[in-house]
Structure formats: C-alpha cells, structure tokens
Amino acid sequence: MSLILECHIYHILMRLINKDNIEIVDVFIRLYGELIEEIAPHYKGDIVFKNLPADENEYHDIMGRVGNVIYHSEVEVGKIGLSDTEVLAALAHEIGHIVYNTRGWQQDQEERADSFAAELGLGSQMISAIEKIISSRRYHKLTSLLVGRIHFLQNMIRV
C-alpha cells in the first residue's frame, strides 16, 4: 500500500451535524464550515448541534456543550436578545471549546474558545454577546470573568 493511500484511508474530516435542523446553525455551517476546517485541521470528528428544550434547561443556559455536542436554547437566546451574528459568535465560541479541548469556566479556557470566534471574524460580535449577557445579570457571579473576556477580545481584535 502506498503512503498516499494510507494517509487517505486514515484521514477523517470534521463533520458539523445539525441534528435538530436549527436554522441559525444551518446559517453558521454555510458561512463558516469550510473555514473551521482550515483553522482547526487537527480536529477530526463530529460536532453535533442540538436544541436545548426549556423543560430540560434547569439553569436557563443560552448554550453549552457536553463532549462534542453543542446545545442551543432558542428561548434563552431570545430572552437575552442576542442578534443572529451574536449567536453565530457564541456557536463559534462553543466550537472553540471542542476543537481546543477546553473545559470549565477558567479565564484562559474561555479566552481560548473566544479566540476561535475571533479567528472566524466574529470577535466584535462575541464582545457584544458578552456585554448582553453581563447586562442580563444572568451570571452575576461571573461578571469579572466576562469583563476579562471582553478585554482579551478587544486586545485580540486590535492586533
């Protein structure tokens, strides 16, 4: 077997799967799907998007992820008043957690995920989304972390 054929056999592409046919996710995949593979060629596997139904959303999360599944709550996004481009940035942020394998709410891990949104050209939209989250007082105990993320993104965008 030739080396070229062996490489082809073992090369598995990232797949973005919109399991619940979420309209904004379709837009995201259409606009950024190919670029994601260019930015994160190291990630080989599926990223699945699913609805987060209100009756299963005890903490009223806007978005979140478990493993390689990103959950999206249209109800909570609406309550915060995120625009479509801010939702695109939040989706990119969650993908950043997956492709960079970051977990938790530590500042460096959140900034790493934010950097992924900025690399897609969604840095200012991510800032705007974070500002709306702060204004909602939804995560008031995390305000300093959220403000730090805004400063990080502002510095990243300026460069």
Side-chain angles (χ1 to χ4, degrees), residues 55-67:
D55 61 345
E56 295 176 23
N57 193 358
E58 177 182 354
Y59 300 106
H60 306 285
D61 290 324
I62 301 161
M63 277 184 210
R65 86 169 171 100
V66 176

Side-chain angles (χ1 to χ4, degrees), residues 11-87:
H11 181 71
I12 301 169
L13 296 176
M14 174 191 317
R15 292 187 318 158
L16 303 173
I17 301 168
N18 187 1
K19 188 87 167 173
D20 293 332
N21 298 312
I22 304 164
E23 186 176 336
I24 194 73
V25 171
D26 281 339
V27 171
F28 182 87
I29 292 170
R30 190 171 53 254
L31 292 174
Y32 300 103
E34 289 181 25
L35 186 55
I36 289 170
E37 287 192 35
E38 290 176 27
I39 294 172
H42 64 279
Y43 184 82
K44 310 289 186 234
D46 295 342
I47 297 176
V48 179
F49 301 87
K50 295 178 84 176
N51 281 320
L52 180 55
D55 61 345
E56 295 176 23
N57 193 358
E58 177 182 354
Y59 300 106
H60 306 285
D61 290 324
I62 301 161
M63 277 184 210
R65 86 169 171 100
V66 176
N68 69 330
V69 179
I70 297 171
Y71 292 92
H72 170 271
S73 172
E74 196 170 310
V75 170
E76 298 303 325
V77 163
K79 286 179 183 177
I80 297 284
L82 296 181
S83 69
D84 286 349
T85 56
E86 291 163 342
V87 173

